[in-house]
Amino acid sequence: MPSSIVAALSLLLFFIGYRYYSRFLAEKIYQLDPDYMTPAHRFNDGVDYVPANKFVLLGHHFTSIAGAAPIVGPAIAVYWGWLPAMLWVVFGTLFAAGVHDFGTMVLSVRNRGQSVGILADKLVGHRAKLLFLFIILILVLMVNAVFAWVISSLFISFPSSVLSIFIQIPLAIWIGFRAYRKTGSMVIPSVIVLVVMYATAVIASYVPLLQIDLVSYFGGEEATSWFGLSATEWAFLTWIIILMTYVYFASTLPVWMLLQPRDLINAYQLIFGLVILYLALFITSPEITAPATNPNTGDVSWFPLLFITIACGAISGFHGLVSSGTTAKQLDKETDARFVGYLGAIGEGSLALITIVAIVTYFNTTGEFLEHYHSFEAAGATGLAIFVEGAAYLATGLMIPLQAAETIIAVIVISFAATTLDTSVRLMRYIINELGEEYSIKPLKQMHPSTMIAVGLSAALVLLPEGPRGLGSGGYLLWPLFGTSNQLLAGISLLLVTIWLKRKGRSIIYTLIPMLFVLFMTLWAMTEQVVFQWSGYGEADANLLLFSFGALILGFTIWIFLEAINLFRKESQQNS
């Protein structure tokens, strides 16, 4: 089947969803008010609460949510065939992700820009707030570990991409100062920075001197280990130290200085990447060689695992943290929430869609695809690298050299992941601050001590030595739990939006249905994982790390829902 037909139908559905369904949500359900004073204006402090142009803010929001997850998840999920993965991406984006991201943003804007963790106190109760904050804390800690692992792994696999990434940082700060002093717009400088980055990437692809290959610097794969660590492990350790040092400063700087300009650059990167890949797709229209459904998946059933393997790209609880944690604090007008929230979800769905297409058209034959995707573990181990290669191969349809295309795709993916990492560490700092307020612990209420805790815990988790990859296995090992905990968070966030709508006397069916679907699938999958896999039940190998985190999150989630059910019962009795 020609991939261009499948992609065109999916994009048409995305257009219809934004044009009509998001307008319906904005006018009838969330009832946006263009004259409402947003928290960005009411609490403008020049650091976290800063009103932003909706296009700039879409850039921040889009790149914060569109990290490597909407690439890794679909790259693994095509193991079950391209059809179920694509259906979940398209309909999940329209009726779950868009509703969730849009709704949590509006809910936060209407409540002083507070995060969904704090709002759980107002909507469900104090115990629910504390439980929810701890769930979020565990999730963002895992996000930090997973994305630090992704970035470090890509730096090691594609050393020609490193220089472009580091060139972006000082140039983004220059743009931030320029915009802050109102000496010019951010658009043209951002495009110039993008050109500089890609020119650097292309040149580095062919000039080994510009490739920062730390594995070679430490002697190469065959080198004798130092202090028990291989050259790859030393390279990984070095990149983690550099990344954690960077995110410490990036997450404490005012948002206008680095976060907003860099995110605008990355938004252009995302648009550029999507345009290039979709243009190449519609020009070349490669055949889909992967099977629509894969019957040879053994005991790894797609149901319910598909709905947690593809989290970002269909619906993701982390989006609600970004919507309520940082984006709501920068929203200029309440009516911008539709443009930023719902359209941002569609943008990520489009990224997940092209990921699927790039992979299922990359292989020459169905047999070659099945040989490579012979097991679920094989799909998880190489999915991200296959996307980079498949997307680069797709881009060659526009006469872009394969080697340069691989580097540019790697730069785009790393940029997304770095944006998510920055935002996630900032969110973790907010949560630690909120817990410090709750328990009156003064150091936890301060910016730098709380950021040091966030960075230190993240580094310790990602550098866990246990696992098949030695030092740095933490991010790799945590991926199975990332999907389930992410979806549970999405379900809880939809619960909060549903409760808020019910108290406002509005229809709740449009948030209730995706909430029930996501929670049913995720609780089912997580119970199987915690009880029958990670606990060591039967013949399964025990995994103490995943079992501990998973059991805590599952227990806290069930507790929150018991609190919500009790609240509904009390309110029903009072109203009767």
Side-chain angles (χ1 to χ4, degrees):
M1 175 183 291
S3 56
S4 57
I5 295 177
V6 176
L9 290 173
S10 300
L11 292 176
L12 177 62
L13 289 174
F14 282 157
F15 172 77
I16 294 172
Y18 179 73
R19 178 70 177 80
Y20 297 103
Y21 190 53
S22 71
R23 174 184 288 183
F24 167 77
L25 292 173
E27 294 177 355
K28 304 298 182 183
I29 306 302
Y30 299 137
Q31 298 180 13
L32 303 185
D33 181 1
D35 297 322
Y36 183 79
M37 181 178 284
T38 63
H41 290 284
R42 183 173 298 174
F43 308 111
N44 190 340
D45 60 3
V47 179
D48 294 319
Y49 291 87
V50 180
N53 176 279
K54 69 177 183 179
F55 293 99
V56 175
L57 189 55
L58 176 63
H60 156 68
H61 183 77
F62 195 4
T63 51
S64 294
I65 64 175
I71 296 171
V72 176
I76 297 172
V78 293
Y79 169 68
W80 293 297
W82 62 265
L83 183 60
M86 198 166 288
L87 289 175
W88 173 228
V89 165
V90 172
F91 291 103
T93 295
L94 293 175
F95 299 109
V99 175
H100 168 271
D101 298 8
F102 188 4
T104 51
M105 193 180 300
V106 174
L107 178 62
S108 179
V109 167
R110 286 287 175 162
N111 288 274
R112 302 166 59 89
Q114 293 175 323
S115 71
V116 286
I118 292 296
L119 294 174
D121 188 359
K122 294 182 178 180
L123 297 170
V124 182
H126 192 63
R127 280 196 302 265
K129 166 198 167 181
L130 295 179
L131 293 169
F132 199 20
L133 282 177
F134 279 112
I135 290 175
I136 296 171
L137 186 65
I138 294 172
L139 175 63
V140 294
L141 179 60
M142 288 192 295
V143 169
N144 296 342
V146 167
F147 281 87
W149 162 69
V150 165
I151 296 169
S152 300
S153 299
L154 287 173
F155 276 160
I156 291 171
S157 299
F158 302 96
S160 55
S161 66
V162 176
L163 190 57
S164 291
I165 297 299
F166 282 92
I167 280 176
Q168 183 191 37
I169 297 170
L171 294 177
I173 292 175
W174 166 69
I175 293 173
F177 273 104
R178 190 171 181 273
Y180 185 70
R181 292 173 178 172
K182 302 187 186 303
T183 57
S185 73
M186 299 169 67
V187 177
I188 294 177
S190 298
V191 173
I192 293 172
V193 171
L194 199 60
V195 171
V196 171
M197 289 177 63
Y198 289 164
T200 304
V202 171
I203 295 170
S205 299
Y206 300 99
V207 181
L209 188 64
L210 299 179
Q211 298 174 9
I212 304 178
D213 186 356
L214 293 188
V215 175
S216 297
Y217 292 163
F218 285 109
E221 292 288 354
E222 305 301 324
T224 304
S225 63
W226 299 354
F227 303 102
L229 299 180
S230 67
T232 300
E233 288 176 315
W234 275 111
F236 196 95
L237 175 61
T238 303
W239 282 129
I240 290 298
I241 292 173
I242 293 172
L243 280 173
M244 290 300 160
T245 303
Y246 159 73
V247 296
Y248 175 85
F249 291 102
S251 60
T252 54
L253 291 173
V255 291
W256 59 264
M257 187 180 294
L258 178 60
L259 186 142
Q260 287 181 352
R262 189 214 45 216
D263 288 354
L264 182 61
I265 296 167
N266 289 343
Y268 288 137
Q269 282 205 75
L270 184 53
I271 293 170
F272 172 80
L274 289 175
V275 168
I276 289 295
L277 292 178
Y278 275 108
L279 188 61
L281 169 66
F282 289 121
I283 289 175
T284 61
S285 190
E287 290 287 322
I288 296 176
T289 53
T293 57
N294 183 5
N296 304 313
T297 56
D299 58 350
V300 185
S301 172
W302 69 274
F303 191 87
L305 287 182
L306 171 69
F307 303 103
I308 61 170
T309 302
I310 301 180
C312 299
I315 182 173
S316 165
F318 182 73
H319 295 190
L321 299 184
V322 176
S323 292
S324 65
T326 60
T327 306
K329 294 179 173 67
Q330 302 173 60
L331 206 66
D332 184 33
K333 296 180 180 180
E334 189 178 65
T335 48
D336 292 346
R338 176 194 173 203
F339 179 80
V340 177
Y342 198 95
L343 190 59
I346 285 181
E348 188 178 60
S350 301
L351 177 59
L353 179 64
I354 198 63
T355 298
I356 295 171
V357 171
I359 292 172
V360 301
T361 59
Y362 177 62
F363 299 95
N364 294 319
T365 65
T366 301
E368 188 177 326
F369 172 87
L370 293 174
E371 182 181 346
H372 197 93
Y373 276 81
H374 60 83
S375 69
F376 189 72
E377 289 73 18
T382 59
L384 187 58
I386 292 173
F387 165 74
V388 173
E389 294 170 5
Y393 182 75
L394 193 61
T396 59
L398 297 179
M399 308 304 292
I400 300 175
L402 181 61
Q403 192 170 346
E406 281 190 353
T407 302
I408 291 173
I409 296 296
V411 166
I412 293 173
V413 175
I414 293 168
S415 297
F416 299 163
T419 299
T420 303
L421 181 62
D422 294 359
T423 303
S424 182
V425 171
R426 188 179 289 263
L427 289 171
M428 190 171 178
R429 188 240 299 172
Y430 292 162
I431 296 163
I432 293 172
N433 292 159
E434 291 172 357
L435 290 172
E437 292 284 350
E438 177 65 31
Y439 294 105
S440 301
I441 303 175
K442 187 176 180 180
L444 297 187
K445 295 188 284 186
Q446 299 171 347
M447 176 187 291
H448 291 287
S450 59
T451 305
M452 290 177 65
I453 292 171
V455 170
L457 289 176
S458 302
L461 188 57
V462 75
L463 289 172
L464 284 174
E466 291 81 8
R469 303 190 175 195
L471 183 73
S473 288
Y476 173 77
L477 294 172
L478 285 169
W479 184 261
L481 182 57
F482 172 75
T484 47
S485 56
N486 204 0
Q487 301 301 66
L488 283 178
L489 182 59
I492 297 171
S493 297
L494 282 171
L495 171 67
L496 297 179
V497 176
T498 302
I499 292 173
W500 177 69
L501 289 174
K502 185 176 184 296
R503 290 180 178 173
K504 293 289 184 180
R506 303 172 194 169
S507 175
I508 64 172
I509 193 69
Y510 304 99
T511 56
L512 182 65
I513 291 177
M515 179 198 81
L516 293 175
F517 178 82
V518 169
L519 285 173
F520 177 75
M521 294 298 174
T522 311
L523 286 172
W524 182 356
M526 195 167 197
T527 301
E528 283 189 349
Q529 289 176 324
V530 171
V531 176
F532 298 108
Q533 295 180 28
W534 302 330
S535 67
Y537 177 84
E539 298 180 358
D541 294 329
N543 188 314
L544 183 60
L545 175 69
L546 294 181
F547 177 77
S548 301
F549 277 138
L552 276 174
I553 293 172
L554 184 60
F556 286 169
T557 302
I558 294 173
W559 195 345
I560 288 172
F561 275 91
L562 290 176
E563 292 279 343
I565 291 170
N566 185 48
L567 176 69
F568 272 116
R569 182 180 59 81
K570 289 181 178 178
E571 289 186 352
S572 298
Q573 289 176 350
Q574 291 173 356
N575 294 331
S576 60

